[in-house]
Amino acid sequence: MAPPIQKIVYVEDEPDIQAIAQMALESIGGFKVILCSSGKEALDIIPAEKPDLILMDVMMPEMDGPSTLAALRQNPICQDIPVAFMTAKVQKSEIDEFVQLGAIGVIPKPFDPMTLSDEVRGLWAKAHGN
Amino acid sequence: MDEVVKEKLSSIRAQYQAQLEQKAELLEQLWLQSKAPVSSSDKGPALTDLLHLLHRLAGSGRTFGFPEISNLAKELDRSIREMDVGDFQSDPKILYPLKQQLLKSLIQPVVNDSDAKVDHPGKAEHHLVYIVEDDPSMAGWFREALHTQGYEVELYSSLPDLKKAVLTVAPRLIIMDVSLPQGDNAEIRVCQDMQLFNDARIPIVVISHYSGFKTRLVAVRAGVRAYLNKPLNQTTLISCLHEIVEEQPSDPYRILLVDDDGDLINIYRLNLEEAGVKVYGLSAPQHTLEVLESFRPELVVLDLHMPVCNGLELGQVIRQQVRYANIPIVFLSADSSEDIQLEAIRLAGDDYISKPIEPWRLRTNLLARLKRARMVNQYVNELVKEISFKEQHDALTELPNKIQLENRLKLAMRNVREGVRKHLALFLVDIDNFQQVNDAYGHELGDQLLVDMAKRLESSLPHSCIVSRPGGDEFAILFKSMTGPHQVVHYAERMLELCDLPFVVGADEVKLSFSIGIAPYSASMRAIDCKTLFKQADTALFRAKGSGKNDYVIFESRMESELVARVTMASDLRKALQNDEFHLVFQPQMNLMSNEIVGAEVLLRWEHPRRGLISPTEFIPVAESHGLIERLGEYVLRSAIRYLAGCIERYGHAVSLAVNVSPRQFASPEFVEQIAELLKEYDVDGQLLELEITESALAQDIDTAVNKLNRLRKFGVRMAVDDFGTGFSNMASLKRYPVDMIKIDRSFIRDLPEDEDDLAIVTAIIEMGHALGLKLLAEGVENEEQMAVMKELRCDFVQGFYISRPMPADVFEIRLIENQQSGTDLLR
């Protein structure tokens, strides 16, 4: 059995998506959510917060999701925190690429706010099952 | 849903909606700006921003309850990306309607609350499926497969049960597994029994083991909608059900309608869209090619009479391009002349439909064609996939081949350079002595061994690494991510352990080992490309082989100079052959009964102009790998036979010489003739010549080898089996070959007399050899004790440092003269 997720750091540059995802994860999923608006911010916040899971948009200005992940993996404190990507481009090849980078999975955008938390739990369980 | 959540959700939605008008304005603005060509193929900032905006809308609309925004933005984004940038900037008109639709959906957004459910149909009455299946495991599989797609499933194990159920509640669809143990005829009876459902207009999908014409015909007559064969995969089943239930495929068909009459287009469009078909209506035929490119229709309908160009001409323009040769073209015209209809079909079309036609008739006609076209395309796609698989995989093991490995390696190296991963490592794995297995057991069993090896490697290594077979008996394994040297060592050792268990080859168990060359790569090695990394792994592999096999070697930069040295040596070898830098040395062989020198084994020496004397153990492998071994072999043969001739001339006495023959030399079809000609050229008696050959060289093609040996025998030439006891030699197979002598390999002599195992082996070889009527020679005799053992075992001849080291021709001649003076004949 996978331990329950409690704290999620959510990295997303678009404020409106941030708002609805926060609502979905907090009100429907019951997680504690910490928001970051950029990869850089995530790099500062994550080592301090040590979340159970990181949810990250792929396409962000300056530092995109994959580069943020790569940078996170350099830091021993963050090395083992599972990361899931969110993207509007869900080509199989890209999913494969993200998984190769070390992501536990990909949540396609646009996501359904009602089921987002379940999707997150699903990925989490799968990652722990493996 | 929780009231609080509901409230929050609607307030967030309202916020999003409030910004949509603003986004519409931005879309208009960027659309205009991106139209103006910036420079050649440069996207320009406006177009980049436009694509970015579309991407965001696609990724957000549905989340906020506006699925139309997501769909349209996604479609427009895809269409723009599929077009050439220049084409789009100079003429974005084709996409104008799509852009307008998106704009509309932004300004007058349509909220769809239940949209999330669209992909998962859940309405029970519409998605109730009855399944007749008596195999519980299949039943479970069906339930699982259909549940995930939102179907409600009821299972029945017999036809009467199903009939009862249908009379109570009619399902949307019935699936019947009619694979009955009684076979074909029983299935036919079941199909005939389906009339009831047919009357109730319930579509039936039949699943069967049989694919015979009779069964299929009965099924068709019973009104069965689809006939699927076992084994069944989920994708086929689901797409078939979807098509029946939704009356349209999950991925909508795409039709391009070209007609100058816009009203007509609209009527047809409405009707086709009702059936879930995506329609692109084009009233300006001159844009047909662009639309073909961006919209990729599966069917084209052309009006025959249009002002700009007629449909017949347009059809031919389309057909001029091979990539559109497959798209069915249907002509539509009020012209009833049969000649014109025939001409249209002959030149470009597939069918001709006369106007006026009721839209539903047109729809039925076109849908049938679309369905067939898609089936053909799917078949072609599968074939293409298969071909591209074959291009990238090794046919024998189905592992990735060198082409794919190189591509993956390049990608992985880039990831390391860009800091995504720290290290990677390329392992080259070579099966030691594989050639001997192939020789001894034949290619078929050798191939099977490679397949087994591939499976062993794949199953014991992590999924993330790529096991490939670049060729021959070599495997290459790419570890895309390595944490450091300890991990490299860990995997290398694990691979060596894979050979702990023997392999089954035919009826035998064979013990094999690996040699592994490893080239690690990290971000600091920027200057190294994929080819160089391969070379490094190869150099390390060469070292592993040289160090006695069953070992791994990790590449170090100092080996690079050795690599250079090998290449240099190959070129030096070529020069050496031209400049006559080689000479022969002679290692005497002694008859143990008479203690007389009876002849010598001829050995090759290379006097390098700068490096001095180079050992054969150093240059022979290089000559082998650079295709020079045959020329070297010929050189030795000629020199030895010339020497024999000189001996007779100088001393009037004959001497016997043993010459090594490489497997490749022996395999040459001209080998026997070559020897015969040399003997004739120098007028030398064949009896003075002994050829030494390894057993594996003989085993390559037994019949041919025996034939060659017999022909050589006619000239008096004697044959010795070299290095006996190593590899796969065995006494039983020796019976097959007409040979004269066995040379016991030095490795069995080295530890005598202490090593009891070796002593037992040598004793057995000598006894059995004698039993077969063969002479025996022990190689590598180095001391008095070994000499005594050989005498005691009644070995016939010895050779080794104890008798004499290899000596130059002139020294050997002095020994010969001494022999002559003591009155001994050197002919044994």
Side-chain angles (χ1 to χ4, degrees), chain B residues 23-38 43-54 57 72-73 75-81 83 85 87-103 106 280:
Chain B
K23 290 198 167 120
E25 226 165 275
L26 184 63
L27 172 67
E28 278 285 67
Q29 216 178 333
L30 291 172
W31 182 269
L32 281 172
Q33 288 169 4
S34 61
K35 256 169 75 175
V38 182
K43 265 190 195 150
L47 182 52
T48 309
D49 287 350
L50 176 65
L51 289 170
H52 195 66
L53 173 67
L54 292 175
L57 289 172
L72 290 167
E75 187 57 34
L76 187 55
D77 181 50
R78 188 187 63 83
S79 304
I80 295 176
R81 283 175 201 276
M83 278 178 86
V85 174
D87 282 356
F88 172 73
Q89 283 170 337
S90 61
D91 187 12
K93 271 205 285 297
I94 314 157
L95 299 178
Y96 189 76
L98 196 55
K99 192 255 327 187
Q100 286 305 96
Q101 276 185 51
L102 175 60
L103 212 56
L106 290 172
Y280 199 113

Side-chain angles (χ1 to χ4, degrees), chain B residues 246-266:
Chain B
E246 304 297 328
E247 286 165 343
Q248 50 186 265
S250 44
D251 179 16
Y253 294 126
R254 297 182 306 279
I255 286 188
L256 169 62
L257 276 175
V258 188
D259 198 319
D260 58 320
D261 183 344
D263 293 339
L264 219 51
I265 287 184
N266 283 337

Side-chain angles (χ1 to χ4, degrees), chain B residues 595-752:
Chain B
N595 280 344
E596 294 157 359
I597 301 293
V598 289
E601 179 178 353
V602 170
L603 300 165
L604 187 62
R605 289 287 181 270
W606 178 16
E607 189 79 39
H608 192 282
R610 289 188 316 279
R611 294 180 53 195
L613 205 61
I614 296 179
S615 155
T617 53
E618 204 176 328
F619 70 79
I620 293 291
V622 178
E624 273 175 346
S625 60
H626 286 79
L628 294 167
I629 195 73
E630 280 144 90
R631 284 177 63 193
L632 269 183
E634 198 206 327
Y635 172 86
V636 176
L637 266 176
R638 176 176 287 276
S639 311
I641 291 174
R642 192 170 51 209
Y643 185 82
L644 282 172
C647 260
I648 298 170
E649 220 168 76
R650 285 196 288 273
Y651 309 111
H653 269 274
V655 60
S656 160
L657 289 183
V659 178
N660 288 290
V661 174
S662 78
R664 204 184 283 198
Q665 223 180 335
F666 184 72
S668 153
E670 287 90 36
F671 181 67
V672 178
E673 281 67 36
Q674 189 194 5
I675 299 274
E677 274 166 30
L678 283 170
L679 289 172
K680 199 173 160 200
E681 186 181 336
Y682 292 101
D683 192 20
V684 166
D685 183 353
Q687 284 196 49
L688 303 179
L689 184 66
E690 183 174 85
L691 300 178
E692 294 188 359
I693 187 159
T694 56
E695 203 197 349
S696 65
L698 290 173
Q700 278 178 9
D701 177 355
I702 294 169
D703 292 341
T704 316
V706 170
N707 179 282
K708 277 183 185 170
L709 295 180
N710 280 329
R711 278 157 62 209
L712 285 168
R713 218 172 220 194
K714 276 191 191 145
F715 302 111
V717 175
R718 283 162 300 126
M719 297 299 301
V721 178
D722 206 3
D723 301 337
F724 191 82
T726 59
F728 294 87
S729 39
N730 65 70
M731 276 294 186
S733 66
L734 266 191
K735 274 199 304 195
R736 290 181 290 196
Y737 307 113
V739 294
D740 305 275
M741 187 158 79
I742 296 171
K743 293 188 82 177
I744 305 166
D745 191 71
R746 64 182 66 245
S747 60
F748 296 104
I749 311 296
R750 193 181 50 220
D751 300 326
L752 293 184

Side-chain angles (χ1 to χ4, degrees), chain A residues 13-14 27 100-101 111-112, chain B residues 8 19 56 63 116 420-421:
Chain A
D13 60 321
E14 274 199 271
S27 304
Q100 266 189 29
L101 291 177
F111 57 85
D112 179 352
Chain B
K8 270 192 190 170
Q19 297 167 5
R56 290 189 156 204
T63 302
V420 180
R421 297 172 196 286

Side-chain angles (χ1 to χ4, degrees), chain B residues 344-557:
Chain B
I345 291 171
R346 187 181 74 82
L347 282 176
D350 293 274
D351 202 358
Y352 191 96
I353 297 171
S354 296
K355 281 203 272 196
I357 180 169
E358 295 96 319
W360 69 268
R361 276 187 205 279
L362 180 68
R363 175 168 87 179
T364 310
N365 188 313
L366 295 183
L367 280 176
R369 273 171 197 292
L370 279 165
K371 197 170 168 182
R372 205 165 54 232
R374 185 167 284 190
M375 271 166 76
V376 169
N377 280 339
Q378 272 166 356
Y379 179 63
V380 170
N381 285 342
E382 271 165 31
L383 286 182
V384 169
K385 248 191 243 164
E386 200 181 306
I387 291 168
S388 88
F389 181 87
K390 281 185 181 157
E391 263 175 10
Q392 302 214 26
H393 290 79
D394 164 46
L396 178 65
T397 58
E398 296 202 333
L399 291 178
N401 60 14
K402 190 157 188 177
I403 300 172
Q404 201 193 146
L405 177 70
E406 280 185 357
N407 290 337
R408 305 290 291 265
L409 179 60
K410 278 180 200 158
L411 208 71
M413 287 170 80
R414 202 181 73 192
N415 279 341
V416 169
R417 279 197 302 276
E418 290 174 1
V420 180
R421 297 172 196 286
K422 271 191 181 155
H423 311 279
L424 65 78
L426 178 68
F427 284 49
L428 282 187
V429 177
D430 191 278
I431 308 174
D432 298 330
N433 305 328
F434 177 76
Q435 193 53 45
Q436 281 170 312
V437 179
N438 238 358
D439 293 345
Y441 294 95
H443 286 286
E444 238 168 80
L445 289 176
D447 281 356
Q448 186 53 46
L449 180 72
L450 288 174
V451 173
D452 292 347
M453 189 61 94
K455 281 189 193 142
R456 249 190 224 195
L457 280 168
E458 263 201 318
S459 60
S460 63
L461 295 173
H463 285 302
S464 59
C465 72
I466 296 164
V467 180
S468 79
R469 178 174 171 243
D473 58 341
E474 206 170 272
F475 292 90
I477 295 131
L478 167 62
F479 290 87
K480 288 174 289 190
S481 178
M482 280 280 184
T483 49
H486 60 280
Q487 215 180 8
V488 173
V489 170
H490 166 77
Y491 283 121
E493 277 169 1
R494 198 196 272 189
M495 275 185 228
L496 290 181
E497 281 166 15
L498 284 182
C499 291
D500 283 355
L501 286 176
F503 286 82
V504 177
V505 181
D508 294 343
E509 284 197 338
V510 176
K511 196 95 168 61
L512 290 170
S513 61
F514 278 152
S515 292
I516 305 175
I518 303 165
Y521 179 82
S522 54
S524 60
M525 297 160 68
R526 275 177 189 280
I528 290 185
D529 62 5
C530 154
K531 286 224 157 62
T532 315
L533 199 70
F534 252 104
K535 265 189 207 147
Q536 293 186 341
D538 200 38
T539 306
L541 176 64
F542 183 72
R543 282 285 287 252
K545 290 235 152 217
S547 76
K549 304 178 177 178
N550 192 24
D551 198 3
Y552 64 90
V553 169
I554 300 172
F555 179 82
E556 292 164 39
S557 49

Side-chain angles (χ1 to χ4, degrees), chain A:
Chain A
M1 263 297 273
I5 322 172
Q6 292 175 350
K7 199 198 285 183
I8 294 179
V9 165
Y10 179 54
V11 193
E12 165 66 65
D13 60 321
E14 274 199 271
D16 41 17
I17 297 274
Q18 259 189 9
I20 196 163
Q22 184 179 23
M23 197 265 342
L25 293 168
E26 280 182 353
S27 304
I28 301 175
F31 310 123
K32 181 170 167 33
V33 178
I34 293 138
L35 295 174
C36 294
S37 303
S38 70
K40 284 222 169 73
E41 197 186 336
L43 291 183
D44 287 335
I45 285 178
I46 289 166
E49 289 290 347
K50 290 191 206 116
D52 301 302
L53 179 83
I54 301 162
L55 208 53
M56 189 147 54
D57 188 23
V58 170
M59 247 211 192
M60 293 185 288
E62 283 185 57
M63 198 173 188
D64 68 4
S67 353
T68 312
L69 172 58
L72 273 176
R73 291 293 185 242
Q74 304 283 326
N75 184 342
I77 301 175
C78 314
Q79 245 163 21
D80 298 324
I81 305 174
V83 171
F85 279 122
M86 298 180 77
T87 176
K89 288 204 176 134
V90 274
Q91 305 258 309
K92 172 106 178 45
S93 59
E94 274 164 339
I95 294 182
D96 285 350
E97 198 188 318
F98 296 149
V99 171
Q100 266 189 29
L101 291 177
I104 59 166
V106 175
I107 292 176
K109 272 185 171 185
F111 57 85
D112 179 352
M114 306 315 291
T115 59
L116 177 65
S117 298
D118 287 341
E119 281 189 72
V120 169
R121 282 201 185 90
L123 285 180
W124 172 265
K126 216 169 110 197
H128 280 268
N130 292 343

